[in-house]
Amino acid sequence: MLRLQIHLTLPPWIGDMVDTTKRYLTDEERVGLAIELSRQNIEHNHGGPFGAAVFDAEGRVVSVGVNRVVPQTCSVAHAEMMAYMSAQQRLAAFRLNGDGNRYTLATSAQPCCQCYGATVWAGVDELLIGARAEDVEELTEFDEGPLPADWAGELERRGIQVRRDVLREQARAVLAAYGQSGQHY
């Protein structure tokens, strides 16, 4: 029988950790939350070392995501994808900024090729990145896949501002801890 519903979940500890009333005003606060989500995800053994959060123009959390590929048996359950899907469901909009409001995705690591593609269509105006793709591949066994040579420029041409290396060393530390732990998600 074909399944008529897809059901993905985030870990229960997220509800205790994320304050949706707080305003995250700086890029560092926003990426810091994504990095802490990635750290908590590996500490709880709920998926890989990746975290992401969507923020509205006032800096409030709209949604968050962590890597859930293995626990959910779903190759698209990356942190960015989970954050996008959750935000789209919460706002009842397939394109987040379709209503004219501005949204930011903060992520603990540069989006892989899958999450990059989703970023083009998700409706965010800004992308904040902690670790680089080369950090992910150096410190873990993850393959980030192919991206256009000028991937950041492609996003900028589509109206998505990109800022890299926000708290990069903190994000690298989480990736390194994961890589040294022997866990494989």
Side-chain angles (χ1 to χ4, degrees):
M1 175 183 348
L2 292 177
R3 291 191 172 257
L4 302 179
Q5 182 177 5
I6 298 167
H7 184 77
L8 299 173
T9 61
L10 292 169
W13 53 263
I14 285 180
D16 296 329
M17 190 191 131
V18 178
D19 181 355
T20 57
T21 64
K22 178 181 176 180
R23 292 179 66 201
Y24 295 78
L25 300 177
T26 67
D27 294 352
E28 289 73 19
E29 288 177 308
R30 294 173 187 191
V31 173
L33 175 60
I35 293 169
E36 185 57 26
L37 288 164
S38 70
R39 182 185 341 275
Q40 291 294 323
N41 206 42
I42 60 173
E43 285 181 12
H44 287 91
N45 292 319
H46 283 155
F50 303 100
V54 174
F55 297 90
D56 66 17
E58 287 78 40
R60 288 190 179 82
V61 173
V62 175
S63 68
V64 300
V66 292
N67 179 281
R68 300 286 286 156
V69 170
V70 173
Q72 300 288 284
T73 60
C74 181
S75 65
V76 300
H78 290 196
E80 297 91 339
M81 302 295 284
M82 297 294 284
Y84 284 147
M85 289 185 287
S86 180
Q88 290 162 343
Q89 290 292 297
R90 181 174 179 192
L91 299 176
F94 65 87
R95 186 158 181 83
L96 298 176
N97 61 6
D99 61 1
N101 291 317
R102 292 185 56 81
Y103 295 92
T104 298
L105 177 75
T107 183
S108 63
Q110 180 179 321
C112 69
C113 61
Q114 170 183 259
C115 297
Y116 170 82
T119 299
V120 170
W121 307 121
V124 294
D125 303 284
E126 186 174 27
L127 174 62
L128 305 174
I129 302 168
R132 293 181 175 211
E134 53 263 35
D135 299 331
V136 173
E137 291 184 346
E138 171 194 340
L139 299 168
T140 72
E141 294 182 2
F142 291 102
D143 176 1
E144 295 300 276
L147 289 173
D150 185 22
W151 64 268
E154 291 292 334
L155 292 177
E156 299 265 350
R157 282 187 280 287
R158 288 172 167 79
I160 303 169
Q161 298 172 343
V162 178
R163 179 164 176 228
R164 299 172 73 188
D165 300 336
V166 180
L167 303 177
R168 182 179 181 191
E169 290 309 312
Q170 289 179 25
R172 281 180 53 87
V174 174
L175 293 169
Y178 173 84
Q180 295 166 0
S181 73
Q183 291 179 327
H184 298 286
Y185 281 99

